[in-house]
């Protein structure tokens, strides 16, 4: 790898939304060279201050897990931040939970009780709902909700969370299903 460049390892999933996009642009038709991709900052507008909330509830689906892992790592490496993180990861089946080893590493390296997670398997009938997200809170606890993934995952959750309690801050980012 040359200086000033970044190499990415990408898992292509048959019929996956992002996989289809990436596979359709594998080569430049004129030069037969690999296509270039623009990398952008996906957390535009996301502000985080240590200890601002006692709990961050994260719900991710599919490729939405990647920014959540990065946010969790950032928060957990701050020794003065006591915020806890709970992540709910929605996948089709166990094969799609290929980053579970990274989540386990976060559990092991975090100070006790600072990071926890659960995986919901869609094909087994397990669904992430606004109610399942809110069930992770303790009464009167200060918390913030982060959502990441495709629109078909986030839009219904955003609407239902707002209907349950408009005072809880929800931050959403992800890819378009279109």
């Amino acid at each position: 790898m040359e200086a000033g460049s970044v190499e990415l390892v990408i898992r292509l999933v048959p019929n996956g939304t992002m996989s289809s996009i990436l596979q359709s642009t594998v080569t430049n038709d004129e030069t037969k060279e690999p296509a270039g991709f623009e990398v952008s900052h996906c957390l535009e507008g996301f502000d985080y201050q240590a200890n601002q909330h006692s709990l961050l509830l994260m719900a991710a689906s599919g490729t939405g897990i990647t920014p959540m892992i990065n946010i969790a790592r950032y928060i957990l490496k701050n020794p003065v931040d006591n915020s806890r993180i709970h992540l709910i990861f929605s996948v089709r089946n166990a094969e799609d939970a290929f980053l579970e080893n990274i989540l386990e590493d976060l559990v092991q390296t975090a100070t006790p009780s600072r990071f926890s997670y659960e995986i919901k398997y869609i094909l087994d009938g397990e669904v992430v709902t606004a109610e399942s997200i809110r069930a992770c809170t303790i009464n009167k606890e200060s918390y913030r909700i982060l959502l990441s993934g495709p629109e078909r995952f986030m839009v219904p959750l955003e609407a239902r969370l707002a209907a349950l309690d408009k005072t809880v801050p929800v931050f959403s980012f992800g890819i378009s299903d279109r």
Side-chain angles (χ1 to χ4, degrees), residues 15-175:
N15 300 319
T17 303
M18 285 304 296
S19 296
S20 298
I21 292 168
L22 293 172
Q23 287 173 328
S24 70
T25 57
V26 170
T27 59
N28 180 314
D29 290 336
E30 293 175 18
T31 63
K32 302 299 181 204
E33 292 291 317
F37 293 95
E38 182 178 328
V39 178
S40 63
H41 191 286
C42 69
L43 302 178
E44 190 90 19
F46 175 67
D47 62 325
Y48 178 78
Q49 296 173 12
N51 299 310
Q52 182 178 17
H53 300 284
S54 58
L55 175 65
L56 287 174
L57 290 169
M58 299 177 163
S61 179
T63 57
I65 189 66
T66 306
M68 296 300 199
I69 288 172
N70 290 329
I71 292 168
R73 284 179 172 156
Y74 174 81
I75 293 168
L76 294 171
K77 76 178 182 181
N78 183 346
V80 298
D81 192 343
N82 296 315
S83 301
R84 292 177 297 112
I85 300 168
H86 182 72
L87 170 68
I88 304 171
F89 184 26
S90 176
V91 294
R92 283 181 281 235
N93 52 42
E95 182 181 284
D96 289 343
F98 64 97
L99 294 177
E100 186 173 9
N101 61 328
I102 293 173
L103 299 176
E104 269 306 310
D105 287 346
L106 289 173
V107 169
Q108 299 304 316
T109 58
T111 55
S113 303
R114 278 215 49 221
F115 182 81
S116 59
Y117 74 94
E118 59 187 287
I119 298 177
K120 302 271 188 184
Y121 299 100
I122 297 168
L123 295 180
D124 290 344
E126 299 175 332
V127 179
V128 177
T129 64
E131 291 77 9
S132 66
I133 293 170
R134 298 243 350 245
C136 300
T137 65
I138 300 170
N139 291 339
K140 305 292 183 197
E141 184 172 41
S142 168
Y143 65 98
R144 183 175 190 178
I145 298 170
L146 304 179
L147 304 176
S148 181
E151 287 178 355
R152 69 181 176 276
F153 171 77
M154 295 190 314
V155 171
L157 282 176
E158 289 171 328
R160 183 68 182 136
L161 285 164
L164 290 173
D165 188 347
K166 293 182 187 329
T167 65
V168 175
V170 177
F171 185 84
S172 302
F173 50 94
I175 60 168

